[in-house]
């Protein structure tokens, strides 16, 4: 039942502020730190996932707050500390402690939650930009956000730096995924008519299909432990001799051709010897 303590007194107060002020967006309650924190949670998870557990007083069971807020992978132990920080924020605010460490922790946890979501769901640039308007960033020009920053922390760009670090980690993760994509030597693609820009822009599945096409074209067994070594030798042979004298394996073709050359030289020498 709404009105009862849910999670803890401070978290319940934040939910109540949000519900009372969401239809009055110019009000001071809607722009308060607690209400903005809940607005941020609603943006990340959806209003049903945050408000329904409060209405039904379901914190831990199936469909409850904890399940909903960890669905993208946010750790449960961090979630418990996140909820505790609402109490800590109230305590530090009442004592006029600056910097308010709970203020910083709540913001960092909200950023973490958002990036867990990005790892699971592709979001548009518009959605990412919208999220940033809810954060207490020094770069955010909203008046009430600037006021809260001045009130709660000394280093007003600390949230900016944390957000930038998470963005860097995300971009680096994507870069590493690209690096770790299994690509063959460039000539393997060029000889089959692909350019390197096409290969770079392919999906992982399309790249796998092209790699298989390359191995098949050069008659290389994809199960061979040294398949890439065989492929490189087959490519070198193909670049020199084209598709002549094929036997079913590029490397074997090279050996076959070498043996034919050796035999031809032997016959010529034998003929010269007999003639002399």
């Amino acid at each position: 039942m709404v009105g009862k303590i849910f999670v803890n007194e401070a978290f319940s107060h934040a939910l109540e502020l949000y519900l009372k002020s969401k239809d009055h967006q110019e009000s001071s309650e809607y722009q308060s730190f607690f209400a903005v924190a809940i607005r941020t949670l609603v943006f990340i998870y959806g209003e049903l996932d945050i408000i329904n557990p409060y209405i039904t007083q379901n914190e831990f069971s199936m469909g409850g707050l904890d399940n909903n807020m960890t669905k993208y992978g946010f750790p449960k132990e961090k979630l418990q500390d996140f909820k505790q920080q609402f109490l800590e924020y109230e305590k530090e605010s009442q004592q006029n402690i600056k910097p308010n460490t709970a203020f910083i922790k709540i913001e960092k946890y909200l950023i973490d939650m958002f990036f867990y979501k990005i790892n699971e769901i592709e979001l548009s640039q518009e959605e990412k930009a919208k999220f940033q308007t809810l954060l207490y960033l020094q770069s955010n020009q909203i008046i009430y956000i600037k006021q809260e920053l001045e009130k709660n922390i000394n280093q007003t760009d600390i949230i900016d730096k944390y957000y930038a670090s998470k963005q860097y980690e995300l971009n680096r993760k994507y870069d590493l995924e690209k690096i770790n994509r299994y690509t063959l030597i460039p000539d393997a693609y060029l000889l089959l008519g692909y350019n390197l820009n096409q290969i770079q822009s392919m999906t992982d599945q399309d790249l796998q299909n092209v790699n298989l096409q390359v191995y098949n074209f050069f008659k290389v067994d994809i199960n061979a432990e040294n398949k890439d070594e065989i492929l490189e030798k087959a490519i070198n042979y193909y670049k020199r001799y084209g598709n002549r004298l094929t036997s079913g394996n590029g490397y074997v073709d090279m050996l076959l051709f070498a043996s034919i050359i050796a035999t031809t030289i032997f016959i010529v020498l034998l003929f010269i010897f007999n003639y002399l």
Side-chain angles (χ1 to χ4, degrees), residues 1-2 4-7 11-12 15 48-69 79-80 83:
M1 179 180 177
V2 178
K4 288 186 176 180
I5 299 300
F6 180 65
V7 178
F11 197 81
S12 286
L15 289 165
L48 289 177
D49 279 357
I50 302 301
I51 302 305
N52 272 9
Y54 170 58
I55 294 172
T56 60
Q57 294 289 291
N58 181 1
E59 184 176 358
F60 304 113
S61 302
M62 185 68 66
L65 186 70
D66 281 18
N67 280 348
N68 294 345
M69 290 182 63
L79 176 57
Q80 301 314 312
K83 292 184 287 189

Side-chain angles (χ1 to χ4, degrees), residues 68-159:
N68 294 345
M69 290 182 63
T70 56
K71 65 181 181 181
Y72 299 126
F74 187 69
K76 287 187 176 181
E77 59 274 14
K78 288 188 176 182
L79 176 57
Q80 301 314 312
D81 188 52
F82 170 74
K83 292 184 287 189
Q84 177 63 27
Q85 292 308 313
F86 281 73
L87 287 171
E88 298 299 324
Y89 172 80
E90 276 198 336
K91 184 188 302 181
E92 293 184 29
S93 293
Q94 290 168 2
Q95 297 174 2
N96 295 316
I97 296 175
K98 185 180 179 181
N100 188 319
T101 57
F103 173 91
I104 298 169
K105 284 186 178 181
I106 289 172
E107 284 295 291
K108 287 183 175 181
Y109 279 140
L110 289 169
I111 291 171
D112 290 345
M113 292 173 192
F114 183 68
F115 278 91
Y116 270 103
K117 182 177 181 177
I118 290 178
N119 280 323
E120 295 293 320
I121 300 174
E122 185 175 351
L123 300 179
S124 66
Q125 289 301 319
E126 291 76 11
E127 290 173 300
K128 294 175 184 177
K130 172 63 176 176
F131 176 70
Q132 290 183 53
T133 66
L134 294 166
L135 295 177
Y136 287 80
L137 303 172
Q138 186 184 53
S139 55
N140 202 327
Q141 297 303 308
I142 300 175
I143 293 176
Y144 67 80
I145 283 181
K146 287 189 170 297
Q147 291 173 341
E148 287 290 339
L149 281 173
E150 292 296 331
K151 172 185 172 183
N152 287 295
I153 55 180
N154 299 317
Q155 186 183 348
T156 55
D157 65 345
I158 190 169
I159 309 301

Side-chain angles (χ1 to χ4, degrees), residues 1-24 27-39 41-42 47 50-55 57 65 86 90:
M1 179 180 177
V2 178
K4 288 186 176 180
I5 299 300
F6 180 65
V7 178
N8 58 54
E9 289 184 0
F11 197 81
S12 286
H13 178 55
L15 289 165
E16 289 166 5
L17 272 176
Y18 167 76
L19 289 172
K20 290 176 181 178
S21 65
K22 70 174 185 174
D23 294 327
H24 307 281
S27 66
S28 58
E29 289 83 2
Y30 188 76
Q31 298 170 0
S32 66
F33 176 67
F34 270 177
V36 174
I38 300 302
R39 285 162 54 194
L41 289 177
V42 167
E47 190 171 63
I50 302 301
I51 302 305
N52 272 9
Y54 170 58
I55 294 172
Q57 294 289 291
L65 186 70
F86 281 73
E90 276 198 336

Side-chain angles (χ1 to χ4, degrees), residues 212-224:
L212 183 60
Q213 181 184 352
V214 169
Y215 287 127
N216 288 338
F217 180 82
F218 289 102
K219 310 298 182 185
V220 176
D221 182 2
I222 62 172
N223 296 314

